[in-house]
Amino acid sequence: MANHRLKKSILEVVDNQIRDNNPKCTNETLQKLISMGYTEEKAKEMIASVLIEELYYIMKGKESFNEIRYSYKLSKLLDCGLEEENFDGEANSMPVRNENKVGRNDPCPCGSGKKYKNCCGGNK
C-alpha cells in the first residue's frame, strides 16, 4: 500500500475487528496465519488486503457488508499461500529479460555491418 495514512487506517479497522472479535473469521484467520509462520504485522496486512477488496464491493456496488464473502476470501488467503506476493502491489520475483535482444543502433546480426534499424530491423 503506497498511501501510508490509508494503510494505517485500514490496519486500524483490522485491529478493531480483532479486538471486538467481529467478525470472528478475522481473529481466526489471524491466529492461523501466525501459526503458519507469518509475523503478526504481515498477517494483518494480508487480512487488510481482503478487507480492501470487500470495501471496493461496498463502495462500487453500493452493497452492504457481506460477511460470508469476506469469510470466504479470508479462508482462500490461508489456502493459496500468498507469501509470494508483496502487498505493496509488487511481485517479489525479478522480471524476465531477454539478454539476446538486438538494439536499434547495434550492428545487424546478419553481418552486413549496417545498424540493425537500417538493415533487417528497418520495417518492423
Side-chain angles (χ1 to χ4, degrees):
M1 290 181 217
N3 187 329
H4 297 291
R5 283 186 281 169
L6 177 60
K7 179 179 180 178
K8 182 180 176 186
S9 296
I10 296 295
L11 289 173
E12 191 174 306
V13 172
V14 172
D15 285 335
N16 291 341
Q17 287 181 343
I18 293 166
R19 181 193 67 224
D20 298 341
N21 201 26
N22 184 14
K24 292 181 180 182
C25 57
T26 304
N27 203 10
E28 293 168 359
T29 302
L30 175 69
Q31 297 308 318
K32 288 178 184 175
L33 287 170
I34 290 172
S35 71
M36 291 171 66
Y38 292 99
T39 64
E40 184 174 348
E41 180 183 348
K42 183 68 173 176
K44 286 181 180 180
E45 287 179 2
M46 294 170 75
I47 293 169
S49 68
V50 175
L51 179 61
I52 289 172
E53 186 176 354
E54 184 61 29
L55 288 172
Y56 173 80
Y57 288 126
I58 292 169
M59 296 182 78
K60 182 76 174 178
K62 298 187 182 353
E63 302 174 17
S64 60
F65 177 72
N66 186 333
E67 188 172 345
I68 295 170
R69 178 177 56 213
Y70 182 64
S71 178
Y72 173 74
K73 298 259 183 195
L74 287 176
S75 70
K76 294 290 283 180
L77 196 62
L78 299 170
D79 295 339
C80 63
L82 291 175
E83 62 269 7
E84 296 297 321
E85 188 173 338
N86 179 345
F87 288 92
D88 291 331
E90 301 173 12
N92 285 340
S93 61
M94 295 296 294
V96 177
R97 299 181 190 259
N98 185 357
E99 298 297 327
N100 298 329
K101 187 173 181 181
V102 178
R104 290 176 33 98
N105 291 318
D106 291 341
C108 190
C110 74
S112 67
K114 296 181 182 179
K115 288 184 178 181
Y116 180 68
K117 67 181 178 183
N118 294 329
C119 190
C120 298
N123 293 329
K124 293 185 181 181

